[in-house]
Amino acid sequence: VHTEEELARVLEVPGVENHLLGINNRDLGTFKVDLGLTEKLMSSPPGQQVRKVRLTEANVIPSWTARPEAQADVSTDK
C-alpha cells in the first residue's frame, strides 16, 4: 500500500490479519522514496487498526533489505 485509503481498503479484506502487509515507500509517480511514509501510515486510523490485529512493524521487512546494494542508498539514522 502507499496511501491511507489503500491501507483502509486492504483492511476490509476478510482474513487479512493472516497475511503480510507491505508498505511501498516509493511514490510510483515520481519514484521518490519517503521512509517517513511507513510511520505516517502506521499512525493513521487504519494504521492503528493494523496494530490492533497484530500486524505490527516487527513483521515488516523493508524492501531494500532484499537488495544489499540498495542499503548504501538509504540511511535509517535518526
Side-chain angles (χ1 to χ4, degrees), residues 8-26:
R9 203 169 53 227
V10 165
L11 293 176
E12 293 175 3
V13 175
V16 70
E17 64 275 4
N18 298 318
H19 293 84
L20 182 66
L21 173 66
I23 295 176
N24 185 0
N25 288 315
R26 184 182 313 273

Side-chain angles (χ1 to χ4, degrees), residues 14-67:
V16 70
E17 64 275 4
N18 298 318
H19 293 84
L20 182 66
L21 173 66
I23 295 176
N24 185 0
N25 288 315
R26 184 182 313 273
D27 181 328
L28 297 178
T30 64
F31 294 104
K32 181 180 177 187
V33 175
D34 177 8
L35 296 178
L37 181 64
T38 296
E39 290 179 20
K40 177 183 170 190
L41 288 177
M42 292 305 292
S43 21
S44 71
Q48 294 302 310
Q49 183 180 350
V50 168
R51 292 174 189 270
K52 287 180 186 176
V53 296
R54 300 184 189 273
L55 290 175
T56 65
E57 289 119 75
N59 296 335
V60 176
I61 302 169
S63 62
W64 54 265
T65 61
R67 298 183 5 227

